[in-house]
Amino acid sequence: MRASNFTLPSTNKENYSLKNSLGKYVILYFYPKDDTPGCTLETNDFNKLLSKFKKLDCEIYGISKDNLKSHDKFRDKYKIKFDLLADEEIKVLKKYKVWGKKKFMGREFMGIIRTTFLIDKKGKIIKIWNNVRVKDHAKEVMKTLKSFIEK
């Protein structure tokens, strides 16, 4: 399945389009909110492994509906070395089917379902992780990427 192209504002102060990453592996991870415990753990884990992902010709992008100001604060606070993308209008979240009903403490609401997509160099989705558990998730993504490269 091909990954849908999109363009979103990025913390690098430019708009990012997925098509610009053709020729590289891409990790898109959708997370609920900047600077919350699970999202911070997940982002820091990807950040720690960033140089290893880069050696495998792989880019990482975190996407949430937070605005760029929030993303910038989050990025600065934890010294995140990759770009965060802002989907305030929820268009990409809906396109990737990660916007849905969630339950928390007995109440239902619409929100981001933590999901990660691994996309190959031709723009094809090669693996999707749904309802991600953050502990060791970045390591699992790394392991999966390596297994695709070694094939």
Side-chain angles (χ1 to χ4, degrees), residues 29 31 33-51 53 60 62 71 73-82 84 114 134-139:
Y29 75 96
Y31 66 97
K33 189 143 184 53
D34 288 339
D35 212 0
T36 54
C39 299
T40 301
L41 182 66
E42 182 177 25
T43 300
N44 282 335
D45 283 353
F46 276 120
N47 200 38
K48 280 179 207 148
L49 293 173
L50 183 63
S51 63
F53 279 110
I60 301 173
H71 278 350
K73 273 173 60 180
F74 184 44
R75 212 176 144 185
D76 292 347
K77 182 174 178 179
Y78 295 101
K79 297 178 177 55
I80 299 162
K81 296 181 205 79
F82 56 84
L84 301 176
R114 193 185 303 275
V134 292
K135 188 175 177 347
D136 294 328
H137 176 60
K139 285 181 189 158

Side-chain angles (χ1 to χ4, degrees), residues 11 34 64-72 85-88:
T11 49
D34 288 339
S64 80
K65 68 180 187 68
D66 293 316
N67 61 29
L68 283 179
K69 193 175 171 191
S70 171
H71 278 350
D72 285 335
L85 309 177
D87 187 13
E88 290 181 81

Side-chain angles (χ1 to χ4, degrees), residues 3-114:
S4 296
N5 188 44
F6 62 84
T7 301
L8 284 175
S10 168
T11 49
N12 75 0
K13 308 295 176 248
E14 291 174 19
N15 284 342
Y16 168 78
S17 289
L18 184 61
K19 67 176 185 277
N20 296 351
S21 292
L22 282 172
K24 292 185 171 157
Y25 289 98
V26 176
I27 293 164
L28 296 180
Y29 75 96
F30 293 88
Y31 66 97
K33 189 143 184 53
D34 288 339
D35 212 0
T36 54
C39 299
T40 301
L41 182 66
E42 182 177 25
T43 300
N44 282 335
D45 283 353
F46 276 120
N47 200 38
K48 280 179 207 148
L49 293 173
L50 183 63
S51 63
K52 289 181 179 174
F53 279 110
K54 280 186 169 173
K55 280 182 189 142
L56 298 173
D57 210 16
C58 182
E59 299 176 343
I60 301 173
Y61 298 95
I63 304 175
S64 80
K65 68 180 187 68
D66 293 316
N67 61 29
L68 283 179
K69 193 175 171 191
S70 171
H71 278 350
D72 285 335
K73 273 173 60 180
F74 184 44
R75 212 176 144 185
D76 292 347
K77 182 174 178 179
Y78 295 101
K79 297 178 177 55
I80 299 162
K81 296 181 205 79
F82 56 84
D83 295 329
L84 301 176
L85 309 177
D87 187 13
E88 290 181 81
E89 294 171 14
I90 311 174
K91 285 182 180 154
V92 177
L93 297 170
K94 287 179 176 171
K95 195 184 266 191
Y96 278 79
K97 297 179 174 56
V98 298
W99 182 255
K101 255 191 200 138
K102 295 176 73 172
K103 268 192 170 130
F104 184 69
M105 295 179 71
R107 66 181 192 93
E108 274 192 4
F109 58 96
M110 294 300 283
I112 297 172
I113 298 156
R114 193 185 303 275

